């Protein structure tokens, strides 16, 4: 596998992709250059609770996070990673329907286990993705929110 891969969003789905690339690299496989663009200053997507509504500190629309005291309506047995169980993370069995904070802590444990932060550009929002038919790739345009600067499009 070669080339470049853009992952948009450092929520559970995007970070699962990064974990698999990290696993493949650890196994000695050749992986593409991987870049994950995340609008927030931290990972977690909807599980990353924010009290903000409307606009964030950069004037961007705030993501629709799970509410602070949410409890999962899906059993943890259907949500856990096969290679990283809740019991392994917490060192003991936990109830099947944990609260948001427990699920988020479990997810952070999995992500930290793989050292995937190095692939993530935080506070970077994707503004546009264009397919280039002639070259069979995509141009991804982003804005660095901390610098308040739109960057040149990057091809993937």
């Amino acid at each position: 596998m070669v080339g470049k891969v853009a992952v948009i969003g450092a929520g559970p789905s995007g970070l699962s992709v990064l974990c698999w690339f990290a696993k493949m690299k650890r196994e000695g496989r050749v992986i593409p250059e991987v870049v994950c663009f995340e609008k927030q200053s931290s990972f977690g997507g909807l599980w990353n609770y924010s009290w903000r509504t409307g606009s964030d500190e950069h004037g961007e629309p705030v993501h629709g996070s799970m509410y602070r005291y949410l409890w999962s309506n899906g059993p943890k047995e259907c949500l856990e990673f096969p290679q990283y169980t809740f019991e392994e993370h917490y060192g003991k069995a936990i109830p099947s329907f944990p609260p948001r904070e427990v699920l988020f802590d479990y997810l952070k444990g999995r992500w930290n286990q793989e050292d995937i932060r190095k692939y993530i550009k935080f506070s970077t929002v994707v503004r546009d993705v264009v397919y280039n038919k002639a070259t069979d790739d995509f141009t991804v345009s982003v804005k660095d929110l901390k610098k308040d600067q739109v960057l040149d499009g990057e091809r993937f």
Side-chain angles (χ1 to χ4, degrees):
M1 187 181 288
V2 293
K4 288 173 71 172
V5 172
V7 177
I8 301 174
S13 296
L15 292 173
S16 290
V17 170
L18 297 182
C19 283
W20 281 107
F21 277 125
K23 178 182 182 291
M24 289 169 37
K25 185 173 183 171
R26 196 174 57 250
E27 292 172 349
R29 298 187 197 179
V30 177
I31 66 167
E33 178 184 340
V34 179
V35 180
C36 178
F37 300 104
E38 173 54 49
K39 182 172 83 168
Q40 298 181 83
S41 59
S42 185
F43 54 40
L46 297 175
W47 292 99
N48 186 8
Y49 171 75
S50 173
W51 57 267
R52 291 183 182 272
T53 60
S55 299
D56 66 13
E57 66 271 28
H58 304 290
E60 293 290 317
V62 173
H63 72 285
S65 67
M66 304 294 182
Y67 59 92
R68 188 173 187 179
Y69 298 108
L70 172 82
W71 283 70
S72 173
N73 65 353
K76 71 170 180 17
E77 293 81 6
C78 294
L79 302 172
E80 72 184 356
F81 298 101
Q83 70 281 9
Y84 187 70
T85 65
F86 280 91
E87 192 163 332
E88 179 183 345
H89 178 75
Y90 286 105
K92 61 181 180 180
I94 66 167
S96 283
F97 297 90
R100 180 202 61 81
E101 186 136 343
V102 170
L103 275 170
F104 189 42
D105 185 69
Y106 164 76
L107 291 170
K108 288 188 294 187
R110 171 70 176 112
W111 301 329
N112 288 328
Q113 184 184 46
E114 292 294 348
D115 186 32
I116 57 176
R117 282 174 110 46
K118 62 187 170 200
Y119 299 118
I120 307 170
K121 291 186 178 184
F122 292 105
S123 300
T124 306
V125 64
V126 173
R127 289 288 188 226
D128 195 30
V129 178
V130 176
Y131 174 66
N132 307 309
K133 188 174 183 178
T135 53
D136 193 31
D137 62 7
F138 293 87
T139 300
V140 179
S141 301
V142 301
K143 180 179 181 181
D144 182 320
L145 297 174
K146 288 187 178 177
K147 295 178 182 174
D148 193 27
Q149 180 181 17
V150 176
L151 306 176
D152 292 334
E154 192 172 347
R155 292 177 63 183
F156 291 88

